[in-house]
Every structure is written in C-alpha cells, then in structure tokens.
Amino acid sequence: MVIMTSSMPFQPVLERIAEEIERMPGRGRPADYIPALAACDPRRFGMAVAELDGTVYGVGDWREPFSTQSLTKVFTLALDLAREGDELWEYVGREPSGNPFNSLVQLEYENGIPRNPFINAGALVVTDRLQTRTSDAAGELLTFLRSESGNPSLGFEQEVAASEAAHGDRNAALAHFMASYGNIVNPIPVLLDQYFRQCSVTASCADLALATTFLARHGVRADGTRLLTRSQAKQVNAVMLTCGTYDAAGDFAYRVGLPGKSGVGGGIIAVVPGRCTLCVWSPGLDERGNSVAGVAALDRFTTLTGLSVF
C-alpha cells in the first residue's frame, strides 16, 4: 500500500490506478436513453487531481471533454446557495431519496418538496430559483465553470441539449407536478431549456477538478474571493456525500469515503477538504447510473493515498 505524505506527488498514484483499471474486465454500459451519449466507448478512462494551488495531475483521457450531465448540479447548488442562503432548504431537502434520480413517487407524499438537490426534481427547483435571481441560470453556471477552470472555451453541446429535450417528458412531468404545489415559479419551457443546457456542458477531468477546488478550499474561489461561507461549503460537501451518487450513495461512501457527485455522462467529481479535488471519467455505467471504472478508481485512490473524510 502507498500512503501519501504532504509532499508526495499524485502522478505515480494515478498511473498505478490507470494500469489497474485497464485490466478491469467489465466497464458497464453508456447511458443509452440519451442518444447523444449512447455511442460513447465504455473503455475510455481519464482521471485528474487538482491541488489547492491549481496544480493538476492527470492520466488517460484526462483532457478529453465529455458531457458533464448531473455534475453541474453541484455548481448550480453552490451558486444559488451563495445568493439565498438557508432559505433554499425550505424548497428542497437534504435527505437521500432511496429512489431512482428521476422518480415522481416521493413528490406526491412530500407535497412537491424534492428530497435533495441532486435528484432531478431537486435540481429543477435549484435551477428555477437561480433563474429567478439571475435571469440566465445556465449562463451563470457556464461563466463560473470557465472562471474556476481557467478554460474560456467551455460551452454547451447543442446536440446533447436537443437530445435531452426530445426525451425530457419525465423532467417536464416533475416540473409541472412541483409547479402545482407552488415550488416552481418560472415558466416550465424556460426552466427546462435552462436545465437541459446546464446538463449539456462539456468539460474535461482537468477542467472539472479545477472547478471543484472551491469546495476543498472551504468556499474560496480560485481568485481568492469567497463564494460560500465555510459552513455552506460544508453543507454542499455533506449533501454530496449522502446524496451525490443517486441511490448508491451509501455504497459510494463505504467504498470511497469522499463527498462525490456522479453524472450519467460517466463523470464523477470528489472532494478531499483542505487537500485536493478529483474528477474521473469513464462512460460505462452500472445499473444505478454511476461510472463502473470511475467508482473503482476513486476507491483505489483513497485506499492507496489514505485520503478520506473518515
């Protein structure tokens, strides 16, 4: 076993993980219900680690842009939480759902209040509230990601957004159902357009590891300004740990031991508070929508380095 010291570089660890992942026999299947993602090669793999000073280490396809999908929910949550503070939690909960990410079931029992901000219903509420405050929630998200990653070329993938819109009946149903309880205030077509654009951002592991470092710096952005209070950054990390990997959050916490958020594009971001952030990408998913190789790689990372919140 390799245990990290404060001065030990991450590159040898990443290279060892990549060698092990290359030998993995099963990598899952891409998200075939989104046609624009279905053609991705499940054996692609990239991984990046960003330190707090902006130093980035990577391996494999770590500079290859991919569809971020639900990873952007973390950043939208942070941007809205920075604006309205604890009032947000009156409209979306902080509990694991135990149901699929696009489920309608719990909304009926809980009066249109989604369980957490990372299931689709919760993310729609957060996007709706950010849209009210900014008039362009997706644009606000993109500006933030470009700034924090240092990559001004990040953008929306129109093909992915159009594909999501064409197959977005379940999200529309969620939005209309919550609107009937007064928990959505913007016009549904406007909200869905913002939400699908948000999910269509393409970025690399390097970009996303860098963009996430404000959570490892306890709310402080790359330029030294503060986006979140230390308490708010703790809140986001806590919800990532308990709710960030769909209905497999308990297993992810058990295996990896870090706050993390997955997306059906095959990406996972993770935070080691006070030390570094990670992003791993491999398009093959398990039955719960999490990257098979991505979870395995993060499991090995925390085992090899000894870095965990536990």
Side-chain angles (χ1 to χ4, degrees):
M1 176 182 292
V2 177
I3 298 295
M4 296 283 294
T5 66
S6 60
S7 60
M8 181 178 177
F10 287 106
Q11 193 63 38
V13 175
L14 295 182
E15 290 173 0
R16 177 171 171 178
I17 292 170
E19 291 173 1
E20 294 180 8
I21 295 299
E22 181 63 28
R23 296 193 295 268
M24 279 186 64
R27 297 282 190 94
R29 298 175 58 185
D32 54 9
Y33 61 91
I34 301 175
L37 302 181
C40 292
D41 179 359
R43 295 196 64 81
R44 299 288 296 275
F45 175 80
M47 188 172 185
V49 178
E51 295 185 312
L52 303 190
D53 63 359
T55 302
V56 187
Y57 305 88
V59 70
D61 299 313
W62 66 297
R63 293 197 179 277
E64 178 72 20
F66 64 90
S67 186
T68 57
Q69 294 294 311
S70 289
L71 301 185
T72 58
K73 293 174 181 176
V74 171
F75 307 103
T76 306
L77 172 63
L79 289 168
D80 188 72
L81 188 61
R83 285 166 170 79
E84 66 171 316
D86 286 346
E87 184 182 349
L88 169 64
W89 303 118
E90 298 175 18
Y91 302 91
V92 61
R94 303 184 295 270
E95 296 294 336
S97 69
N99 284 311
F101 59 86
N102 59 356
S103 173
L104 282 151
V105 175
Q106 285 173 328
L107 288 175
E108 178 75 43
Y109 298 111
E110 298 176 356
N111 300 315
I113 305 294
R115 274 291 179 97
N116 66 70
F118 296 147
I119 56 174
N120 287 16
L124 284 163
V125 169
V126 174
T127 297
D128 181 64
R129 299 188 68 77
L130 186 61
Q131 176 69 12
T132 297
R133 283 157 180 76
T134 65
S135 300
D136 185 8
E140 194 75 15
L141 165 72
L142 186 60
T143 297
F144 179 82
L145 291 175
R146 285 173 171 174
S147 175
E148 295 306 290
S149 68
N151 184 356
S153 68
L154 295 185
F156 304 113
E157 178 54 61
Q158 297 305 321
E159 179 187 359
V160 172
S163 181
E164 298 231 28
H167 298 80
D169 291 340
R170 180 65 66 96
N171 286 315
L174 290 167
H176 282 291
F177 191 82
M178 291 186 293
S180 74
Y181 284 94
N183 204 18
I184 295 291
V185 299
N186 286 283
I188 302 301
V190 172
L191 171 59
L192 292 175
D193 177 66
Q194 290 287 327
Y195 180 73
F196 294 142
R197 288 172 64 212
Q198 166 187 315
C199 293
S200 77
V201 171
T202 58
S204 70
C205 292
D207 296 325
L208 290 162
L210 285 168
T212 310
T213 53
F214 75 100
L215 289 173
R217 289 192 293 263
H218 308 294
V220 176
R221 297 184 59 170
D223 63 2
T225 62
R226 181 170 286 280
L227 175 69
L228 301 176
T229 67
R230 192 179 183 97
S231 178
Q232 288 172 331
K234 179 194 73 175
Q235 292 170 5
V236 174
N237 281 327
V239 177
M240 287 173 68
L241 180 67
T242 57
C243 308
T245 47
Y246 308 122
D247 54 338
D251 185 63
F252 185 83
Y254 176 85
R255 291 183 62 186
V256 177
L258 294 174
K261 180 73 191 85
S262 61
V264 296
I268 307 175
I269 53 176
V271 181
V272 185
R275 182 65 190 273
C276 65
T277 51
L278 304 97
C279 180
V280 60
W281 171 62
S282 186
L285 310 179
D286 62 22
E287 66 279 2
R288 290 171 170 174
N290 298 311
S291 171
V292 173
V295 173
L298 291 170
D299 182 357
R300 291 299 292 151
F301 178 85
T302 53
T303 298
L304 291 170
T305 63
L307 296 175
S308 165
V309 297
F310 300 111

